[in-house]
Amino acid sequence: MFNVYIRTQSIILEHKNHARAEILSFGALLHAYALLQKNGEWFNAIQGYENPEQARSNITQGFRSAKLSPFVCRMKNARYRFNEQEHHCQKHNRKGHALHGLIYDQDFQIGEQYADDNSAWIELHHHYRQNEEGYPFCYRIDIRYTLSAEGLEIASTVSNSGTEAIPIADGWHPYFRLGEQADTWQLYINSQEQLEFDQDLLPTGKRIPDQRFSRASLIGDTMLDNSFVLQNHDGAACHLENAQFRLSLYPDDSYPYLQIYIPPERQSIALENLSGAPDCFNNGMGLHILAPNSRKTFRTRYQLSEK
């Protein structure tokens, strides 16, 4: 039996005696994706926050679980040109480049919910209304989290609520953990190449071969902050596993890129589904242009299992 529980600042989706997800209304952040182990203890595979208050005060320190919208990753010099107009995004910059979109720290409204014997889901939505000078457009984003026997699916639907076309990209920034250090985990990526980056982690426009994890391989001391181009969407885009757990990502074709980052402490790994490449507002790689009254849905699924 599946259930939905609404709390003051969060929502719990639960499959009794099996799995649980916790979503914060702040940022629509995924705070927990947990599995009930054979020993009767819950294991949370998300490196989240101690509580909603900490999430609110620390979101820009790593952007853990952040929704990336209307642009993803870095934007070169925090500037882009659209419809012959130059725009400057100044919300959160690092080394002069804009980071991770504009709605990661916004409160979402809780919408419809449902639970039965097969699944539990909740919808959250936020309406962006020209809040920032650098993005003078209007759009609505609806996020549906669905917990089922097949894992946790997240569908983000962006709707252009304005009177002119808008540029849009979508992504997620979750940090996953399996216990111990990332060095001891195995990683598989359904990719043969990555985007070449410059010294500021911005794409040069070239692709370079990378088959290090085209078969499941030990991460070891590998440093990663790369954007991999997925080969296809016929199976899992990525597997992450250790001796006890296996985590798999199943994005649909709306997410052709997988950004992977291992932070310095190496206790987690960010596996970021991206609809467009970093700086796609400038390089056009995966950029979507939504006409007025049109919409686009981006969908991915996480599956956690115990061996």
Side-chain angles (χ1 to χ4, degrees):
M1 181 64 184
F2 289 84
N3 292 289
V4 179
Y5 302 103
I6 308 294
R7 296 179 174 177
T8 303
Q9 301 183 68
S10 67
I11 306 101
I12 301 291
L13 305 179
E14 186 176 83
H15 183 188
K16 188 176 181 181
N17 300 324
H18 181 64
R20 175 189 298 158
E22 183 176 6
I23 303 103
L24 303 186
S25 55
F26 169 74
L29 303 180
L30 179 59
H31 186 54
Y33 176 33
L35 190 71
L36 187 61
Q37 302 173 75
K38 298 170 186 176
N39 62 11
E41 297 181 359
W42 287 95
F43 174 77
N44 178 20
I46 298 294
Q47 184 187 18
Y49 302 87
E50 293 181 7
N51 50 54
E53 290 74 21
Q54 189 200 41
R56 191 177 292 274
S57 61
N58 288 274
I59 184 63
T60 58
Q61 298 179 25
F63 291 88
R64 297 197 303 273
S65 287
K67 161 52 71 179
L68 310 182
S69 177
F71 63 87
V72 300
C73 299
R74 286 165 173 77
M75 176 189 290
K76 186 175 181 178
N77 298 325
R79 296 180 182 275
Y80 67 99
R81 190 171 182 83
F82 185 71
N83 283 347
E84 301 183 355
Q85 296 291 321
E86 176 123 346
H87 302 285
H88 186 196
C89 293
Q90 304 178 60
K91 183 167 184 175
H92 186 85
N93 293 359
R94 184 174 300 165
K95 296 183 179 179
H97 307 304
L99 294 185
H100 300 321
L102 301 172
I103 66 169
Y104 52 80
D105 60 352
Q106 297 300 296
D107 288 302
F108 279 65
Q109 300 301 309
I110 296 174
E112 294 185 49
Q113 58 179 285
Y114 182 77
D116 60 18
D117 290 339
N118 299 309
S119 67
W121 57 261
I122 186 76
E123 288 186 345
L124 301 97
H125 62 267
H126 174 72
H127 207 153
Y128 175 94
R129 296 182 174 88
Q130 302 177 321
N131 302 61
E132 303 292 333
E133 180 180 351
Y135 193 78
F137 310 106
C138 295
Y139 73 96
R140 172 176 166 136
I141 184 165
D142 293 270
I143 300 174
R144 177 182 287 202
Y145 282 90
T146 303
L147 184 67
S148 72
E150 295 185 344
L152 180 64
E153 181 183 272
I154 313 174
S156 303
T157 299
V158 177
S159 304
N160 183 350
S161 56
T163 58
E164 58 183 311
I166 64 171
I168 201 80
D170 188 88
W172 286 103
H173 204 274
Y175 286 67
F176 295 97
R177 59 186 181 186
L178 296 181
E180 302 176 340
Q181 296 288 109
D183 307 52
T184 66
W185 307 340
Q186 296 270 331
L187 177 64
Y188 158 78
I189 311 169
N190 182 18
S191 175
Q192 299 280 333
E193 57 186 0
Q194 61 166 277
L195 302 179
E196 182 183 70
F197 282 169
D198 64 16
Q199 68 276 8
D200 290 329
L201 300 178
L202 293 162
T204 66
K206 298 179 181 179
R207 296 184 181 188
I208 54 177
D210 190 340
Q211 300 180 11
R212 289 174 294 172
F213 297 101
S214 58
R215 294 185 179 182
S217 302
L218 186 70
I219 292 176
D221 60 359
T222 302
M223 307 290 289
L224 288 174
D225 198 349
N226 307 97
S227 189
F228 292 87
V229 182
L230 298 179
Q231 289 193 99
N232 53 56
H233 294 81
D234 297 335
C238 174
H239 295 301
L240 184 68
E241 58 187 305
N242 64 1
Q244 189 174 0
F245 300 104
R246 182 174 188 172
L247 174 79
S248 301
L249 272 65
Y250 294 91
D252 69 8
D253 59 6
S254 64
Y255 288 126
Y257 302 99
L258 184 65
Q259 181 87 8
I260 300 183
Y261 168 63
I262 301 178
E265 64 274 14
R266 302 185 70 81
Q267 294 180 346
S268 62
I269 181 170
L271 301 173
E272 311 165 34
N273 290 127
L274 304 179
S275 69
D279 198 33
C280 67
F281 273 36
N282 289 303
N283 60 42
M285 299 166 61
L287 179 65
H288 291 272
I289 306 297
L290 285 185
N293 301 313
S294 66
R295 64 182 60 187
K296 172 69 178 177
T297 298
F298 307 89
R299 197 182 311 272
T300 192
R301 176 167 55 91
Y302 309 143
Q303 188 174 61
L304 178 65
S305 60
E306 186 178 16
K307 294 181 178 179

